[in-house]
Amino acid sequence: MTRLIVATAGLAGLAAFGSLFAGTANAERAVAIPAPAHDVPATGHKATAVLAGGCFWGMEAVFEHVKGVTSVTAGYDGGTRTTADYAAVSTERTGHAEAIRIVYDPQKVSYGTLLRVFFSVAHDPTQLNRQGPDSGPSYRSAIFPQDRAQQAVASAYIAQLQRAHAFKAPIVTRVESGTFYPAEAYHQHFYDRHPTHPYIVHWDKPKVAAFKAAFPSLAT
């Protein structure tokens, strides 16, 4: 895994592996998609969403810039507690997906709006078991609803986008059940703590910029 090698390399290693990313920076653009026809009713309490769409560094970075989001945690979902660690998940045999847990204020941003950002710019929902340079089931596109209302909205939105042919290829996003386990401390807020990391520069900064350009009223 390229990201694993670069993340664990020393300074000399970063310089060497930086060439792997040369010229690969994507001019990320959001896909213009409609808002969900149905949404979870707003409450006066904080709510939680769990989403998976490739490397959790970039997913976390995008949603940390969404107004109404109070916290984002990188972690793993879809497998058991005993194997919810980076070394085990990286074997692609644990059933986990790299995921993020989003705590948000439903009075300021809805679950449906979070899903719209998820599908439009946070990742590519047409890539099966991969995102960008990362491949394997731990990088799959998945939604982990926290209740029946979220499950209904997520399933209906996928169907809505499919009917609208919002993407050039079929959506492969799965709606799954599972338990979220936080990732190791060194993975948390990686984008903010390592802004010059080659992976962040070439894969995640363009994604955050695309989010801010496409959703200026949502961006912090």
Side-chain angles (χ1 to χ4, degrees), residues 197-219:
H197 189 292
Y199 189 101
I200 296 297
V201 170
H202 289 280
W203 295 102
D204 296 336
K205 283 194 173 182
K207 190 179 297 184
V208 173
F211 161 69
K212 291 182 176 181
F215 299 94
S217 64
L218 279 178

Side-chain angles (χ1 to χ4, degrees), residues 37 62 160:
V62 169
Q160 175 187 342

Side-chain angles (χ1 to χ4, degrees), residues 28-34 116-117 119-126 157 161 165-168 210 214-215:
E28 292 277 358
R29 294 181 181 177
V31 177
I33 58 175
R116 190 180 187 189
V117 173
F119 282 110
S120 173
V121 70
H123 83 307
D124 181 349
T126 69
Y157 194 32
L161 294 176
H165 302 288
F167 297 90
K168 294 180 180 180
F215 299 94

Side-chain angles (χ1 to χ4, degrees), residues 23-205:
T24 62
N26 292 336
E28 292 277 358
R29 294 181 181 177
V31 177
I33 58 175
H38 305 283
D39 209 336
V40 176
T43 67
H45 307 285
K46 288 184 179 180
T48 301
V50 177
L51 306 171
C55 172
F56 42 31
W57 295 347
M59 286 279 290
E60 179 185 58
V62 169
F63 285 97
E64 283 186 328
H65 288 85
V66 176
K67 290 179 181 177
V69 169
T70 58
S71 70
V72 185
T73 304
Y76 313 103
D77 209 326
T80 66
R81 180 185 298 276
T82 55
T83 54
D85 64 81
Y86 191 65
V89 173
S90 295
T91 68
E92 303 297 345
R93 296 194 296 267
T94 69
H96 292 91
E98 289 198 10
I100 57 168
R101 180 177 62 199
I102 305 165
V103 178
Y104 65 99
D105 182 347
Q107 298 289 337
K108 297 180 180 179
V109 62
S110 73
Y111 182 70
T113 298
L114 295 178
L115 292 185
R116 190 180 187 189
V117 173
F118 172 69
F119 282 110
S120 173
V121 70
H123 83 307
D124 181 349
T126 69
Q127 292 194 26
L128 181 63
N129 293 335
R130 69 172 299 113
Q131 286 291 313
D134 303 312
S135 63
S138 69
Y139 297 105
R140 65 186 181 271
S141 174
I143 300 170
F144 295 87
Q146 302 301 291
D147 54 36
R148 290 183 179 179
Q150 288 189 0
Q151 183 172 11
V153 169
S155 297
Y157 194 32
I158 291 172
Q160 175 187 342
L161 294 176
Q162 294 279 41
R163 288 193 303 270
H165 302 288
F167 297 90
K168 294 180 180 180
I171 294 171
V172 298
T173 307
R174 295 162 48 175
V175 178
E176 304 183 30
S177 60
T179 301
F180 181 86
Y181 303 103
E184 296 81 354
Y186 67 87
H187 282 303
Q188 306 302 330
H189 315 295
F190 198 92
Y191 179 95
D192 288 333
R193 293 188 296 107
H194 303 283
T196 61
H197 189 292
Y199 189 101
I200 296 297
V201 170
H202 289 280
W203 295 102
D204 296 336
K205 283 194 173 182

